[in-house]
Amino acid sequence: MLNLQRYPETKNSSLKLSSAADDYILEYISDTEIDKNNIVIANDRFGYLSCHLYKWNPSIIINYSSQEKSILTNCKNNNLSINSLRLLSPLENLATKVSLALIRVPKSMELFRLFLTQIHKQSDENTLVIASFMTKYFSAQMLSIASEYFQEAEQSKAWKKSRLLLLKHPKEVDYKLNINPIKTDYPFNLQQYPGVFSSNKIDIATQFLMDNINLKQTDNKILDLASGNGIIALKILKQLDENNWPEVEMHLLDNSILAIESSKLNLKEYKAYYHYNDSLEDFELNYFDLIVSNPPFHFEYEINTEISLHLFKESFEHLKKGGRFIVVYNRHLNYSPFLKKYFSSVKISKENHRFVLLECIKS
Ligand SMILES: C[S@@+](CC[C@H](N)C(=O)[O-])C[C@H]1O[C@@H](n2cnc3c(N)ncnc32)[C@H](O)[C@@H]1O
């Protein structure tokens, strides 16, 4: 019996480590007829499938730094050596033909497509792909995307409100370019990989922050925290250029590898430092003059503000004295009382009926 935990841990007991959609996969593949010698697992957020199938030495597609930490921690806690883990990003090619691919279907259908592309490239007539999901999250698009890649796309019976999509016989596929342009009214072009926050358009909260951000000439070390495709960092760098202000040391940090890779595309004319992490742990304390953020609170189908609250605390610790934390959020999230526990000054820079932009100063 494995002892598995979510990373980061949560106090919210309604947030679970796994669901019936995970157990349905394990139950289905317990059939000894299914070839498990070359398993690939995608979108296994906390390592539930990876740890249960560890003995088969699966290749595990990792999109998030927190996912990698979760899988490593769960392996260590269960005495499963991490040296033999085969981890790869969604942008890498699988090394060998796939006999069995297991996908926990992500909320983003374009990310689902990216996983299928990666798996399809190493599929043949002997490959079985199992995509599992909770029935309430089923969409017709899931089926139509799967059918672009595989001739047979059969749905299982529902079990505990979950279902499996069983894909066989790969089709000839003309792989589509997996970088999407984003429309903006700003004088710069943006693009991003599938599954990165706010596909095709600029998020309204991000726009609210960008239109109202107050920069100072003394802002030298800057962090775009939860940077997504890098749009906020890019806007700041452009604004500094327009003012002919001195060069700054710009850092971008995001939990998603696809976000970080997208921001590298968008900021290629600038010097910047990229951090694929879910925490500020690798920075010195009292380091930054300015941290800006449109922080996360949606994770797939979950809503979780604990992660942002932790990032706020870390932001406080990594700002210099006099440093500023500028954050935008949906009004109902009401982050201000929490931030007041740390920052001596917490002021509203701008607000409307939906969003609040706060400037917090560390004294
Ligand atoms: C609301 S989006 C903002 C993205 C971008 N700044 C923008 O405004 O378009 C939040 C971002 O937080 C990232 N994220 C989630 N958890 C994180 C964590 N623990 N540390 C850093 N980034 C995280 C997500 O990958 C996502 O890109």
Side-chain angles (χ1 to χ4, degrees):
M1 184 79 170
L2 293 168
N3 164 24
L4 302 176
Q5 282 165 5
R6 284 173 65 112
Y7 167 87
E9 283 175 20
T10 175
K11 294 193 184 89
N12 182 343
S13 58
S14 72
L15 300 180
K16 303 290 182 208
L17 170 85
S18 63
S19 71
D22 296 291
D23 288 325
Y24 200 172
I25 290 185
L26 294 179
E27 172 62 28
Y28 188 89
I29 67 169
S30 63
D31 180 347
T32 50
E33 299 279 287
I34 294 178
D35 178 3
K36 301 179 191 70
N37 283 314
N38 267 310
I39 304 186
V40 178
I41 302 175
N43 206 32
D44 180 30
R45 188 167 157 207
F46 303 109
Y48 186 80
L49 293 174
S50 308
C51 288
H52 276 95
L53 299 171
Y54 179 87
K55 70 171 177 183
W56 298 103
N57 194 16
S59 298
I60 308 165
I61 303 170
I62 303 282
N63 332 350
Y64 303 112
S65 166
S66 57
Q67 179 190 11
E68 182 167 339
K69 289 180 187 175
S70 198
I71 292 177
L72 297 182
T73 308
N74 279 321
C75 281
K76 280 188 196 146
N77 290 347
N78 289 281
N79 297 322
L80 306 173
S81 162
I82 58 169
N83 299 331
S84 57
L85 286 178
R86 295 194 287 172
L87 309 181
L88 75 161
S89 100
L91 298 175
E92 284 174 86
N93 287 328
L94 288 158
T96 50
K97 282 273 172 241
V98 175
S99 65
L100 178 63
L102 309 172
I103 309 175
R104 286 288 285 106
V105 179
K107 186 174 178 190
S108 158
M109 283 295 105
E110 50 171 26
L111 185 57
F112 182 47
R113 183 193 291 283
L114 184 66
F115 291 141
L116 281 177
T117 304
Q118 194 178 18
I119 290 162
H120 182 275
K121 285 181 180 166
Q122 285 288 21
S123 293
D124 61 20
E125 279 306 306
N126 300 316
T127 303
L128 170 63
V129 179
I130 305 180
S132 80
F133 54 93
M134 298 305 290
T135 46
K136 64 182 167 185
Y137 301 134
F138 175 76
S139 77
Q141 211 190 347
M142 197 188 286
L143 210 51
S144 70
I145 293 175
S147 307
E148 283 173 36
Y149 290 81
F150 291 89
Q151 277 167 29
E152 193 177 309
E154 184 198 334
Q155 277 197 68
S156 71
K157 284 186 194 153
W159 179 75
K160 293 191 178 172
K161 299 185 179 163
S162 69
R163 213 179 267 275
L164 306 178
L165 195 55
L166 305 164
L167 311 176
K168 288 182 195 161
H169 311 304
K171 286 183 176 173
E172 286 280 311
V173 173
D174 195 7
Y175 299 116
K176 289 187 187 144
L177 191 69
N178 52 27
I179 303 176
N180 304 319
I182 302 165
K183 285 193 205 112
T184 110
D185 294 335
Y186 293 100
F188 44 79
N189 297 323
L190 285 171
Q191 49 190 338
Q192 65 184 28
Y193 286 104
V196 174
F197 174 72
S198 197
S199 57
N200 307 323
K201 57 181 189 327
I202 298 186
D203 173 61
I204 323 172
T206 304
Q207 176 116 31
F208 191 68
L209 183 150
M210 291 186 4
D211 290 345
N212 297 295
I213 191 164
N214 164 27
L215 299 175
K216 295 188 174 167
Q217 281 215 42
T218 48
D219 294 331
N220 174 246
K221 292 186 169 126
I222 304 179
L223 171 64
D224 179 355
L225 173 60
S227 49
N229 62 28
I231 182 169
I232 296 174
L234 183 60
K235 169 73 168 52
I236 291 174
L237 290 167
K238 296 262 178 208
Q239 200 166 320
L240 297 175
D241 267 359
E242 280 161 22
N243 293 341
N244 283 324
W245 283 3
E247 252 186 47
V248 296
E249 187 182 302
M250 176 62 80
H251 295 259
L252 295 90
L253 182 142
D254 202 284
N255 186 32
S256 149
I257 188 67
L258 294 169
I260 287 295
E261 291 305 321
S262 305
S263 60
K264 286 182 187 168
L265 299 174
N266 292 325
L267 273 77
K268 51 177 180 282
E269 61 182 284
Y270 290 98
K271 182 166 181 207
Y273 301 89
Y274 301 91
H275 308 271
Y276 167 46
N277 206 334
D278 70 323
S279 144
L280 279 70
E281 65 203 354
D282 290 343
F283 294 112
E284 286 169 33
L285 297 177
N286 310 312
Y287 188 76
F288 291 105
D289 299 292
L290 174 65
I291 300 180
V292 287
S293 191
N294 176 7
F297 68 101
H298 282 118
F299 300 86
E300 294 275 303
Y301 297 101
E302 287 180 5
I303 291 183
N304 180 353
T305 52
E306 289 168 310
I307 288 170
S308 286
L309 298 184
H310 183 68
L311 290 173
F312 297 167
K313 178 174 175 289
E314 285 195 306
S315 294
F316 172 79
E317 291 163 352
H318 291 83
L319 278 168
K320 289 177 190 164
K321 259 189 177 183
R324 295 178 304 145
F325 180 49
I326 295 181
V327 59
V328 69
Y329 54 88
N330 286 46
R331 175 171 287 286
H332 72 270
L333 293 170
N334 192 23
Y335 287 142
S336 174
F338 181 86
L339 288 160
K340 282 182 181 157
K341 286 205 265 177
Y342 295 99
F343 292 91
S344 52
S345 161
V346 174
K347 290 204 175 113
I348 295 175
S349 307
K350 193 88 180 176
E351 61 184 325
N352 65 19
H353 66 290
R354 285 189 66 187
F355 303 112
V356 178
L357 183 68
L358 283 188
E359 180 180 271
C360 311
I361 303 176
K362 175 172 174 177
S363 66

